[in-house]
Amino acid sequence: MLGDFVYSNPTKLYFGPNALDSLQTELANYGNIVMLSYGHGSIKKNGIYDKVIAILQACGKTVIEDGGVMPNPTVDKLYEGAKRARENHVDLILAVGGGSVCDYAKAVAASAYCEEDPWDKYYIRFEEPNCKLIPIGCVLTMVGTGSEMNGGSVITHPQQKLKIGHVFGAENYPRFSILNPEFTYTLPKYQMVSGIYDIFCHVCEQYFSGTDDNTSDYIAEGLLHSLVQASRIALQNPTDYEARSNIMWTATWALNTLIDKGKTTDWMVHMLGQAVGAHTDATHGMTLAAVTMAYYRHILEAGLPKFVRFAKHVWDVQPDGKTDMQIAEEGLQAFECWMQELGLVMHLSEFGVTEEMIPGLVDSTVIMHGGYKVLNRDEIAAVFRESL
Ligand code: NZQ
Ligand code: ZN
């Protein structure tokens, strides 16, 4: 394990088919005014909204409605939510939804009493909050981002063509998150597989770095094994509780800071995918899927030993009689086959991306330095071109 590190995660998790029963206990810890943030209505269709409202009413809470949080939440929605939270003296933000609603809740929590422009402060200058934070709780309905147990908060500025994540400190993590795998049964297949791929990608972003023998990498391989196994079952039977619960738990541990301990991390697939998201508003996990293979083929040689290990440990490639490059290639092929099996978007053209858009995409891409190879702008353009 490299360097000094601290591991602490303040989010309390309630997991399982009866997890929502604990909401009542948690609500007792907060004041009377609860802002209920949610998306575009899936929770009204599947009954989760009614269940949450009944609990809030039983606890005597005043509910401030805050629906309409869009996938890839925008800066304008953030301004609107921050104003609403401030004007209503909200004591708790209860985010009921997927990563978009949870991310948005964190941004609102840190913006309601912020005296500067929150977009500039958190997403351009990456400063820490220096104002009162509103506590957040989360009822998760879509699995993938890990937002239920981390400080990540991704906001899109459509006019500036930027989609940027701020990673808040532990004081702005959800205080509690309620994880009932059954709540994810109503997800459309497109969202389910997009979330599954997001999880896989989060693990890879933290796995493809470093040359030391690191416990974090063994944990990562275990998470990937479990995810591939469960994804195949969920694909056949979306209401298989065992598979959906394993996917949900894997998502949380894939991005709650555990597996980046003692490591540098890459995150370039996310930077490429976020640039695509800023220009097209496409579904997060799908943007990652479309750029992954081209990116990994660009860094393969620089990170060859790790790609060999990935092939052997995750995809069970038999190494006998093969060169390292052949083993690594076979691993990537198995990976690509699994992505196709899930039905992920494998080409950027499916989002309407064209050759002419590539310079703009390159301008929107943040270049990271923790992986096996730091790409220059020409290489980034090449990755986008090969992903078309
Ligand atoms: O808006 P509603 O009606 O709720 O519909 C949502 C939305 O259309 C729907 N949905 C959610 N739960 C459902 C459901 N439909 C039926 N049944 C259910 N139970 O699913 C759609 C997608 O939801 P969304 O929250 O946007 O998806 P996801 O969880 O993938 O979140 C994506 C956002 O999180 C950011 C992404 O960039 C993107 O903005 N990320 C956050 C991260 C973090 N906090 O650490 C890291 C990730 O890498 C990611 O960047
Ligand atoms: Zn992601």
Side-chain angles (χ1 to χ4, degrees):
M1 304 294 289
L2 298 178
D4 303 301
F5 60 81
V6 175
Y7 180 74
S8 164
N9 193 311
T11 304
K12 184 167 186 175
L13 298 177
Y14 296 92
F15 193 97
N18 299 310
L20 192 63
D21 294 351
S22 302
L23 180 58
Q24 190 149 355
T25 320
E26 278 296 333
L27 288 175
N29 298 327
Y30 304 94
N32 237 17
I33 306 174
V34 177
M35 185 158 99
L36 182 61
S37 300
Y38 56 95
H40 275 139
S42 66
I43 63 165
K44 290 196 171 165
K45 279 193 216 125
N46 61 23
I48 297 172
Y49 176 87
D50 289 341
K51 287 182 187 152
V52 170
I53 285 285
I55 296 168
L56 287 165
Q57 283 171 350
C59 295
K61 302 292 182 184
T62 302
V63 177
I64 308 296
E65 283 277 334
D66 182 37
V69 181
M70 62 292 284
N72 309 323
T74 63
V75 68
D76 286 337
K77 181 67 187 168
L78 164 59
Y79 294 144
E80 179 197 311
K83 185 165 178 274
R84 183 170 296 146
R86 183 178 59 251
E87 287 178 354
N88 288 287
H89 307 286
V90 164
D91 295 309
L92 173 74
I93 302 174
L94 187 61
V96 184
S100 291
V101 181
C102 295
D103 281 19
Y104 159 84
K106 291 172 206 169
V108 169
S111 302
Y113 298 101
C114 178
E115 287 175 0
E116 299 153 78
D117 181 284
W119 170 257
D120 289 341
K121 183 177 176 66
Y122 301 130
Y123 297 92
I124 299 294
R125 299 198 303 272
F126 291 101
E127 292 171 10
E128 293 312 312
N130 49 5
C131 60
K132 176 182 155 185
L133 299 173
I134 302 173
I136 308 156
C138 162
V139 178
L140 196 67
T141 67
M142 153 90 195
V143 167
T145 64
S147 190
E148 65 275 14
M149 202 187 191
N150 70 32
S153 170
V154 182
I155 297 293
T156 298
H157 198 307
Q159 295 80 18
Q160 293 182 9
K161 295 264 183 272
L162 289 174
K163 180 177 183 185
I164 297 181
H166 182 101
V167 182
F168 286 103
E171 65 285 355
N172 200 27
Y173 280 33
R175 302 285 173 96
F176 63 90
S177 283
I178 290 173
L179 276 56
N180 179 347
E182 291 173 357
F183 286 178
T184 68
Y185 286 174
T186 54
L187 274 169
K189 184 189 161 210
Y190 190 87
Q191 294 297 338
M192 179 185 83
V193 298
S194 169
I196 289 170
Y197 189 66
D198 194 19
I199 305 167
F200 196 95
C201 190
H202 291 161
V203 178
C204 288
E205 301 274 32
Q206 299 164 90
Y207 180 77
F208 285 112
S209 56
T211 51
D212 57 322
D213 188 42
N214 189 313
T215 301
S216 292
D217 289 334
Y218 294 89
I219 301 172
E221 288 163 354
L223 292 172
L224 294 179
H225 259 295
S226 172
L227 182 64
V228 171
Q229 159 79 3
S231 71
R232 289 184 162 136
I233 298 167
L235 202 58
Q236 298 309 316
N237 181 10
T239 57
D240 185 296
Y241 181 82
E242 193 172 77
R244 295 309 282 264
S245 60
N246 283 331
I247 294 169
M248 194 171 221
W249 196 229
T250 305
T252 305
W253 287 92
L255 195 50
N256 70 358
T257 80
L258 175 74
I259 64 165
D260 69 7
K261 290 293 159 273
K263 290 191 59 117
T264 61
T265 52
D266 187 352
W267 292 108
M268 257 331 283
V269 177
H270 270 68
M271 296 305 108
L272 296 159
Q274 281 176 206
V276 174
H279 285 254
T280 64
D281 199 28
T283 298
H284 172 66
M286 295 303 194
T287 63
L288 308 175
V291 297
T292 291
M293 280 301 146
Y295 173 67
Y296 282 150
R297 293 217 152 86
H298 270 259
I299 65 162
L300 179 59
E301 222 172 293
L304 188 58
K306 195 53 150 298
F307 281 95
V308 170
R309 176 173 165 170
F310 177 68
K312 292 196 286 196
H313 290 198
V314 179
W315 298 105
D316 301 319
V317 171
Q318 298 306 312
D320 301 344
K322 296 169 192 160
T323 65
D324 280 356
M325 189 51 89
Q326 285 168 335
I327 298 165
E329 272 290 350
E330 212 175 306
L332 285 185
Q333 277 156 21
F335 179 14
E336 194 170 15
C337 283
W338 172 72
M339 293 172 79
Q340 285 160 347
E341 203 180 314
L342 289 185
L344 298 169
V345 173
M346 304 297 280
H347 300 283
L348 289 176
S349 53
E350 289 189 40
F351 307 130
V353 176
T354 57
E355 178 85 37
E356 294 70 50
M357 290 166 69
I358 291 177
L361 288 173
V362 175
D363 286 343
S364 300
T365 305
V366 177
I367 299 176
M368 306 298 273
H369 292 83
Y372 287 120
K373 187 177 178 198
V374 180
L375 299 193
N376 61 34
R377 285 173 60 89
D378 289 344
E379 288 166 317
I380 287 172
V383 170
F384 283 129
R385 202 166 299 114
E386 289 155 25
S387 304
L388 283 175

